[in-house]
């Protein structure tokens, strides 16, 4: 098995960096474009040059034919020693004159070959007839040759154009095009490598930061990434993610510490009472009943504390998908359940549009905590507990209020009642863990809102929360 793993590890392909991939891709695209442009440009240029050369040659031949048709001309009229002969000897054009029998009477430079077709033109009776030869080898060069008859068997004139020098020019152009394309590809590769380094530099920083977090498990690492592009947005999102994870880790640590602290008191009391159970036969009956009642109450409080700790932890990492909910429907369920459980009269009042986006389970837990908190602190109250669901103060915002006629909240406790495990001095004798309102705060903040509490006019308290932030 170990040998198989080693073989697979050896066969595992090496990872290619994004920088290398980007540089190679940039160079490949540039090379393809450069080659395509080079081929198209060279083909167009070569075609234009060849067409131009052919057009010039055809025009020269046509001029000679027009000349011999319009004037009766003799071979001597085309002699290189005759004044004015340049009129029919344009640049880069070779002229050779044939006599009546097809013999050469004035050699060209270089001398052109004479075929039977050319001799037949010298004997032709009609002036201006022509025969053309392509790709004629003269020495080391290639020529086009046209032979034009002078008419009445007086001879002919041969006009030749060298095009091997044009092909040499085109070959030189082709070589220079290839060199230019190679230079463009090399330059594109170098530029692509530089550009890839510039673009991926911040990605490398992010990668190093992620690897550092994975290696050290330290979430407080600063991510030095700036910019307004996608990489900058990724860096800021990564930095925010690390901040959220660090905050979540800190919340979990505080929750464990606070839970451990709060659990010590009931556990110590349980241990004390359990130790008394060993001498239960020695205790008077009244003391036995009190001991059993204390154990039952402590076990209930410990159960409630554990349940609320579980609820609080679930509220911090709730995976319930958000959906469109009506807080009035949720409140109706909460009020019905609380009325049956406590036996109290609970009035529900709804106004406005109470729909919003949220997690139904979390919102129901928060409302239940508020109603149970009001019932607990107004245990002997005769006035009904009121639940108000109001919306919207602004689009998407819903306000939840629970009003009671209990002892109210001291001014100094208003800002602390939502802290974990905090219990006001006059509430420490009542059952509870001090976590119920903390859960309300967590739910409100998870839904873009905030908790609130204030003293109710005429006595009692108003405690609630808002959800939705527009």
């Amino acid at each position: 098995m170990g040998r198989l793993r080693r073989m697979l590890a050896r066969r595992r392909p090496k990872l290619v960096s994004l920088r290398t991939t980007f540089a190679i891709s940039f160079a490949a695209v540039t090379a393809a474009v450069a080659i395509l442009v080079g081929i198209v440009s060279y083909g167009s240029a070569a075609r234009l040059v060849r067409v131009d050369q052919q057009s010039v040659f055809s025009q020269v031949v046509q001029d000679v034919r027009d000349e011999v048709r319009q004037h009766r001309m003799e071979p001597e009229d085309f002699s290189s020693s005759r004044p004015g002969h340049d009129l029919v000897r344009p640049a880069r054009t070779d002229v050779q004159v044939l006599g009546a029998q097809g013999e050469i009477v004035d050699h060209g430079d270089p001398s052109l070959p004479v075929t039977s077709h050319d001799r037949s033109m010298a004997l032709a009776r009609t002036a201006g007839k022509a025969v053309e030869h392509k790709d004629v080898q003269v020495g080391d060069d290639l020529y086009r040759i046209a032979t034009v008859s002078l008419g009445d068997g007086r001879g002919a004139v041969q006009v030749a154009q060298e095009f091997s020098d044009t092909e040499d020019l085109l070959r030189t152009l082709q070589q220079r095009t290839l060199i230019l394309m190679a230079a463009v590809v090399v330059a594109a590769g170098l530029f692509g490598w530089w550009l890839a380094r510039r673009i991926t530099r911040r990605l490398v920083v992010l990668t190093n930061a992620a690897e550092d977090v994975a290696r050290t498990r330290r979430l407080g690492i600063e991510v030095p990434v700036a910019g307004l592009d996608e990489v900058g947005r990724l860096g800021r999102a990564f930095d925010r993610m690390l901040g959220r994870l660090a905050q979540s880790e800190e919340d979990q640590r505080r929750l464990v510490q606070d839970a451990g602290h709060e659990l010590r008191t009931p556990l110590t009391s349980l241990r004390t009472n359990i130790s008394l159970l060993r001498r239960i036969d020695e205790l008077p009956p009244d003391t036995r009943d009190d001991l059993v009642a204390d154990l039952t109450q402590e076990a209930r409080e410990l159960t409630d504390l554990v349940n609320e700790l579980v609820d609080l932890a679930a509220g911090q990492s709730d995976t319930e998908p958000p959906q469109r909910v009506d807080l009035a429907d949720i409140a109706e369920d909460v009020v019905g359940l609380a009325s049956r459980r406590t036996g109290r009269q609970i009035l529900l009042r709804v106004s406005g549009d109470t729909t919003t986006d949220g997690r139904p389970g979390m919102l129901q837990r928060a409302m239940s905590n508020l109603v149970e908190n009001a019932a607990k602190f107004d245990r002997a109250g005769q006035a009904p507990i009121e639940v108000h669901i109001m919306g919207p103060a602004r689009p998407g915002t819903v306000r939840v209020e629970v009003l009671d006629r209990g002892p109210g909240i001291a001014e100094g406790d208003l800002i602390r009642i939502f802290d974990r495990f905090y219990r006001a001095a006059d509430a420490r004798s009542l059952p509870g863990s001090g976590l119920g309102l903390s859960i309300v705060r967590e739910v409100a903040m998870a839904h873009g809102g905030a908790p609130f509490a204030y003293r109710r006019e005429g006595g009692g308290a108003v405690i609630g929360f808002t959800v939705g932030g527009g």
Side-chain angles (χ1 to χ4, degrees):
M1 189 68 179
R3 183 178 179 183
L4 178 59
R5 289 179 179 176
R6 288 193 296 271
M7 291 176 62
L8 292 175
R10 285 196 298 268
R11 293 180 180 180
R12 186 177 300 166
K14 294 183 179 180
L15 295 177
V16 180
S17 68
L18 180 62
R19 180 180 301 171
T20 302
T21 302
F22 188 85
I24 293 175
S25 301
F26 189 87
V29 171
T30 306
V33 172
I35 291 173
L36 180 62
V37 171
I39 292 175
V40 172
S41 300
Y42 172 77
S44 299
R47 184 168 58 255
L48 288 174
V49 169
R50 291 190 179 105
V51 169
D52 183 66
Q53 290 291 86
Q54 178 64 42
S55 176
V56 170
F57 180 71
S58 299
Q59 186 61 46
V60 170
V61 173
Q62 187 62 42
D63 290 344
V64 173
R65 296 179 66 185
D66 293 341
E67 184 73 18
V68 298
R69 284 172 179 168
Q70 295 172 6
H71 306 92
R72 179 182 177 85
M73 304 190 73
E74 302 294 334
E76 292 79 7
D77 294 329
F78 292 92
S79 174
S80 58
S81 60
R82 185 180 181 87
H85 66 274
D86 287 339
L87 294 175
V88 294
R89 294 175 182 261
R92 300 179 60 194
T93 301
D94 188 17
V95 176
Q96 181 170 279
V97 183
L98 303 181
Q101 302 302 318
E103 75 280 11
I104 300 174
V105 296
D106 191 354
H107 289 273
D109 184 18
S111 182
L112 302 177
V114 180
T115 67
S116 59
H117 295 288
D118 301 324
R119 294 188 181 91
S120 66
M121 288 297 102
L123 298 171
R125 307 305 299 174
T126 304
K129 291 183 64 176
V131 62
E132 186 173 337
H133 310 285
K134 295 181 179 180
D135 301 336
V136 178
Q137 187 76 34
V138 180
D140 295 331
D141 300 317
L142 289 177
Y143 280 79
R144 291 187 185 91
I145 302 176
T147 303
V148 180
S149 65
L150 299 180
D152 296 331
R154 294 191 300 275
V157 59
Q158 290 182 297
V159 181
Q161 181 189 49
E162 180 186 355
F163 66 92
S164 57
D165 59 343
T166 301
E167 296 300 320
D168 292 340
L169 176 63
L170 292 178
R171 278 193 294 271
T172 302
L173 177 61
Q174 184 182 49
Q175 293 173 357
R176 293 183 178 180
T177 302
L178 292 175
I179 293 174
L180 180 60
M181 287 192 296
V184 169
V185 171
V186 173
L190 295 176
F191 180 74
W193 180 257
W194 173 83
L195 187 61
R197 283 180 58 88
R198 183 178 179 84
I199 292 176
T200 60
R201 182 170 54 205
R202 291 176 293 164
L203 291 176
V204 171
V205 173
L206 285 177
T207 303
N208 293 337
E211 291 176 346
D212 198 11
V213 170
R215 183 177 64 256
T216 64
R217 296 187 179 181
R218 292 187 297 109
L219 300 176
I221 296 176
E222 183 179 358
V223 182
V225 175
L228 300 177
D229 56 2
E230 287 79 2
V231 179
R233 290 170 54 196
L234 176 62
R236 287 188 291 274
F238 186 72
D239 194 41
R240 287 194 299 269
M241 180 190 70
L242 290 180
R244 292 285 296 274
L245 289 175
Q247 182 62 43
S248 177
E249 185 180 53
E250 176 64 19
D251 290 342
Q252 291 178 2
R253 184 185 63 80
R254 285 178 48 233
L255 179 61
V256 171
Q257 290 178 347
D258 293 344
H261 174 74
E262 293 297 323
L263 286 170
R264 288 192 187 100
T265 300
L267 288 175
T268 301
S269 180
L270 276 173
R271 282 198 303 268
T272 302
N273 288 329
I274 290 173
S275 66
L276 290 176
L277 287 175
R278 297 176 180 175
R279 297 187 299 121
I280 192 170
D281 294 336
E282 303 174 7
L283 300 176
D286 293 342
T287 305
R288 294 178 188 178
D289 293 341
D290 292 340
L291 177 60
V292 173
D294 288 344
L295 285 172
T296 302
Q297 180 64 28
E298 289 165 354
R300 185 182 299 112
E301 291 182 2
L302 187 59
T303 300
D304 292 341
L305 176 59
V306 171
N307 289 336
E308 289 186 327
L309 283 171
V310 171
D311 287 342
L312 184 61
Q316 291 179 348
S317 59
D318 202 304
T319 57
E320 183 183 13
Q323 54 185 284
R324 197 69 181 172
V325 296
D326 190 342
L327 267 64
D329 294 339
I330 296 176
E332 188 175 349
D333 295 337
V334 170
V335 167
L337 181 61
S339 296
R340 292 189 295 271
R341 182 183 300 170
T342 63
R344 295 289 303 276
Q345 181 183 8
I346 305 175
L347 302 179
L348 174 62
R349 296 178 181 176
V350 178
S351 63
D353 182 9
T354 58
T355 58
T356 186
D357 294 326
R359 296 177 170 88
M362 295 177 66
L363 293 169
Q364 185 174 19
R365 186 184 310 138
M367 289 188 193
S368 298
N369 287 355
L370 288 177
V371 175
E372 290 175 2
N373 185 76
K376 179 176 65 175
F377 283 95
D378 190 15
R379 187 181 299 270
Q382 299 300 318
I385 298 172
E386 299 179 20
V387 178
H388 296 175
I389 312 295
M390 297 172 290
R394 47 183 176 167
T397 302
V398 182
R399 182 181 178 92
V400 178
E401 294 181 350
V402 176
L403 302 82
D404 63 63
R405 287 298 183 184
I409 305 172
E411 196 70 32
D413 293 330
L414 285 174
I415 61 175
R416 299 192 60 190
I417 62 172
F418 294 102
D419 293 344
R420 293 175 185 170
F421 303 106
Y422 179 77
R423 304 183 71 188
D426 56 356
R428 290 171 187 167
S429 60
L430 298 175
S433 62
L435 287 176
L437 295 183
S438 296
I439 295 174
V440 172
R441 181 185 64 181
E442 297 290 340
V443 172
M445 295 180 66
H447 287 79
F452 60 86
Y454 56 90
R455 298 167 64 87
R456 186 181 182 186
E457 186 177 352
V462 179
I463 306 177
F465 63 94
T466 59
V467 296

